[in-house]
Amino acid sequence: MSGAVSANEALLRAVRAGRMGEAAGLLDGMTDGERRACLPALKDLRKELRAAPWDAASRKAYPALHAAGAACHTGAAGTATWLTAADLRWSQASPGVLLHVLGDRERDWLGDVAHRLADRPPLAQVPYELMSGLVRLSGCPVPTTETYVVGWIEQVGSLWQRGDTILQRLRQDPYTAELVAAVFEIPDIGSRLDWLFGDGPDSWFDALAQLTREGALDRKAMVDACVARLLRGGVPSDCRVFLRLLTALELTRDEERERAPDWLALASDAVSTVASHAQSVLGSLALDGGLTPRQLAEMSGGVLFRPEKKLVRAQLVLLGKALRRDPSSAAELLPAVAQAFGHEDTDVQERALKLVERHLDAASPEVRGEVVDAAEELSPGLRVRAAETLGLEGADRVQEPYVELLPPAPEPARVPPAPDSAVELAEEVGALLASGGDVAAFERTLDGLVRHGYRDRDALAEALKPVVTRLWWVDADPRYPSVEKYFRADPHGLEVVLATLLGQVSTATLHSADQHGPMTDPCVHSAMAAAFNARLWEAAYRLRTDPLPFLLATPTWGSGLLEPGELVARLDEYHRLGARPGETDFAQALLRVRRDDSAASAAAAERAAALGTAEGNRLALWLTTDGPSLPWSSRRTSGVRILLELGELDGVPGEFPPAFRRIGRPVGLFKARAYCAHYWDRAERHHWLAVVPGRRELVAARLLRELSGVAVEDTRGNASVLPLIAEAPGEAGEAVHLCVAYGLGARHPEDRLSAVDALLVLAARGQLDAEGLGADLGQLMRRGAVKPLRLAESVRTTATTGAYATVWEILRAALPVLLADLATDGAAASARGFGELLAVAAECAERTGARGDMAHLAQAADRRGSSRLVTQARRLRATLDHAVAA
């Protein structure tokens, strides 16, 4: 027993000192019983090191501990778990040392450990050298898991470590065939292999192709596996890797022919690069007689409705070649060509129509009937042409008047009352903290916190504890002032109220914030942010010193508007309770009270004056006088941008708190250029519209520079506020329309969709100045702030909802600006995508029956060539000349 104890202590001393060689020598020749006896002390040392600072002594002990612990486990599962432990991963023993201390075990045990390590996820970072060494020592079957296979690929591809080539290493490896076969079975492995496989003459692709040619790899299995992975689809990197490997294998014509059904499936449904390859293979087969007309027609049915125009046009070219090669195939192929009549791109429709016109004479009456029926899907302009060449019936019938289809205008929604139960309120607080919420959810929750804090603060705090545990300041060390600085700089929405209820912020900090606002807030957004934050600081401070029974400014409607009669009733209740209104809360209530109904305002003013309180008299005066009018605005340019400056807002009472008086300050171009915390943190922007409901121009002007960034600087996400601006009450002036214009030209699709939503809402509410928006877009395109191709995608999306007339009015004002540049200079700086924009305009004109002249359109239509721009200009001119209606 004393000998065992001595060996145990010696091993522990060697491990603690990091003497790897001594520890390995002590482990050599130990029996299983001796190893097990050492294990508890090693586990205790591991716990000790885990809690100790990460100093030099700890780092020195870890590799020896990693090796000793693995060697002292007698079960394969325990050894594998110890070897892959997260706390030992960054300072582990080398694979050579581990193989030395484990190498004297039974072969079956070593194989079990190897497979358990290979089954670990790649994040475990098991060294490939350790796994492969265990496989070699045990003679077990090679593992084919992702961890092992990717490690093998990385090892083979490490040419910088050795002088031979990938091909030579693969030839020497006895497991190459098994591991290559496993590559095809691992999901999403392409993301790991894309950069590892590389390019050049010594790439994996060339090496695997050469081994296949030599017979070391089964050719049929390789080809079938590549095709199967492409059929499976997946991430683009997967498709890219296996397509390149398939191409490197250089399939023969017989191999291509026997897989014709696979190519048909890939051409229809695979990613663009794979579909293009399948299309080229099928095209060669078709022109060599290896594909029947029926198969070619089947292929066309899938390809012609793909979004990639290059593939669609290539398919029409292929169909044209097939028809010229074998005119008798018209019975099968012409109906396939006619399927393109329903394509969204009119260029594709026109190409298909030309192809049909060229070969329809050789078709039977049945085929002709199918083609004529399909011609109903053509655009209005091409349908007139088809009526002349194909004999389309009903071409002369009177067209029904165009009807614009706009979404229903959004209806205002009432803000529901705050929950009666503190527990229910706490649940809503948790939901708001987890996912945010709209103005209605925020305001009712804030009002609920104030109400329940007034009734029973302790019960509310107890109900809130479970839902705020994830907030960092809940268990913050009171010795550090981080919490006080956090809430002194910003209330962070409801957090300042919650921290007040839970006693995590001092009264002094709340008083300072309530009296003085933010310490530094010079940016263009500060006016709206200061007013929003001031009310939160006040609510929190009053909870601590003089609780409010409820909030006066809680809006009646989700837009932020407050009914005057409701505000009078709240003031009356305050008077009955003897409560002192919050200065900031009352100022916000005045800004929110609705005054567009003169009768309701007069009645509420009379009741307010009868209260006999200072707040009642102020409300009565506010309701019977004109409110602040919108300030003057002036356009300014900054680089490629068009921005707005606002003058001072008249009519803001001097008795308003300082935070609210800032709303009336001018907005200058220099301030609009400043970056700030609000530029990056957009969580509270939608609340700013409720600070000044009915005056969305004030908010839009302050957000204009950030919104311009989605088009000019390709930023993402700033346009998400546009639908809210469109739904907000008030005048939609220059600032709102410029914001929408920038959104329509945004780089990212989600921002463009937000702008489309805003555009449709403005149109549905009758507030869209389509001509003004079009003029803005024309100038922004001329300056290079908005790219025509992006705008074309936005207005096409808008039009396809049924708003063709709205889009036409916008483009009718926007296009002459670019057309004028084209006529003057011969080439517009923003000509890329101009043809797409003209195509959308032509479709809108055809569907709405637009007629008349467009300035400078004739010069564009008379240009030489058949570019997209020229052909669509001619189409638009023909439509306007002939007044084609849908």
Side-chain angles (χ1 to χ4, degrees), residues 220-353:
K220 185 177 187 304
M222 288 288 290
V223 175
D224 287 344
C226 284
V227 173
R229 280 307 296 259
L230 296 177
L231 286 169
R232 192 187 308 174
V235 296
S237 54
D238 257 14
C239 298
R240 187 163 50 246
V241 165
F242 293 108
L243 177 60
R244 290 181 64 186
L245 179 54
L246 181 64
T247 305
L249 292 174
E250 297 178 342
L251 271 61
T252 65
R253 184 48 53 91
D254 288 339
E255 289 174 325
E256 292 176 340
R257 187 180 296 108
E258 68 184 28
R259 292 172 177 81
D262 296 329
W263 306 127
L264 290 171
L266 291 172
S268 300
D269 301 320
V271 299
S272 180
T273 52
V274 177
S276 178
H277 176 77
Q279 184 186 46
S280 66
V281 172
L282 289 170
S284 298
L285 290 174
L287 297 179
D288 289 346
L291 207 65
T292 66
R294 180 175 296 277
Q295 288 177 311
L296 182 55
E298 178 186 348
M299 167 195 176
S300 301
V303 174
L304 289 177
F305 282 94
R306 291 186 63 104
E308 302 92 342
K309 295 176 184 178
K310 182 178 180 180
L311 290 178
V312 174
R313 291 169 182 168
Q315 190 66 21
L316 289 175
V317 170
L318 174 60
L319 288 168
K321 292 179 179 179
L323 284 167
R324 287 195 300 272
R325 177 179 173 277
D326 182 12
S328 65
S329 64
E332 296 282 357
L333 298 185
L334 283 182
V337 174
Q339 292 181 59
F341 290 169
H343 198 277
E344 64 177 13
D345 186 355
T346 56
D347 273 358
V348 171
Q349 294 182 17
E350 186 172 10
R351 287 169 182 261
L353 181 57

Side-chain angles (χ1 to χ4, degrees), residues 61-117:
Y62 265 110
L65 176 63
H66 186 239
C72 288
H73 276 86
T74 55
T79 298
T81 301
W82 183 280
L83 286 170
T84 57
D87 57 321
L88 300 172
R89 184 178 305 159
W90 303 109
S91 292
Q92 56 185 270
S94 68
V97 170
L98 293 173
L99 291 172
H100 172 77
V101 299
L102 297 176
D104 59 352
R105 302 296 186 88
E106 295 180 357
R107 296 182 61 173
D108 290 345
W109 187 91
L110 293 172
D112 191 3
V113 172
H115 279 267
R116 288 178 183 276
L117 293 176

Side-chain angles (χ1 to χ4, degrees), residues 345-398:
D345 186 355
T346 56
D347 273 358
V348 171
Q349 294 182 17
E350 186 172 10
R351 287 169 182 261
L353 181 57
K354 288 180 179 179
L355 193 55
V356 167
E357 290 170 345
R358 193 176 301 126
H359 297 280
L360 192 60
D361 291 342
S364 65
E366 292 79 9
V367 172
R368 187 180 187 90
E370 286 187 56
V371 172
V372 169
D373 290 342
E376 292 291 343
E377 300 295 324
L378 289 166
S379 67
L382 291 176
R383 199 155 60 236
V384 171
R385 171 176 160 183
E388 299 172 357
T389 59
L390 306 182
L392 187 63
E393 295 181 2
D396 298 330
R397 67 177 181 268
V398 177

Side-chain angles (χ1 to χ4, degrees), residues 342-346 349 402-407 752-753 756-757 759-760 791-808 811 836 839-841 843-845 847-848 875:
H343 198 277
E344 64 177 13
D345 186 355
T346 56
Q349 294 182 17
Y402 170 77
V403 177
E404 185 84 339
L405 297 176
L406 293 172
R752 293 199 295 270
L753 285 176
V756 169
D757 288 343
L759 173 60
L760 290 171
L791 177 60
E793 294 176 3
S794 295
V795 293
R796 180 180 287 110
T797 301
T798 307
T800 53
T801 66
Y804 290 97
T806 299
V807 173
W808 168 245
L811 294 181
E836 298 296 330
V840 178
E843 183 174 3
C844 292
R847 290 181 179 271
T848 58
R875 175 189 170 195

Side-chain angles (χ1 to χ4, degrees), residues 36-50:
R36 282 192 294 267
C38 295
L39 192 57
L42 294 173
K43 289 182 177 180
D44 290 341
L45 177 59
R46 178 181 172 186
K47 291 178 183 178
E48 177 188 332
L49 293 178
R50 190 185 299 156

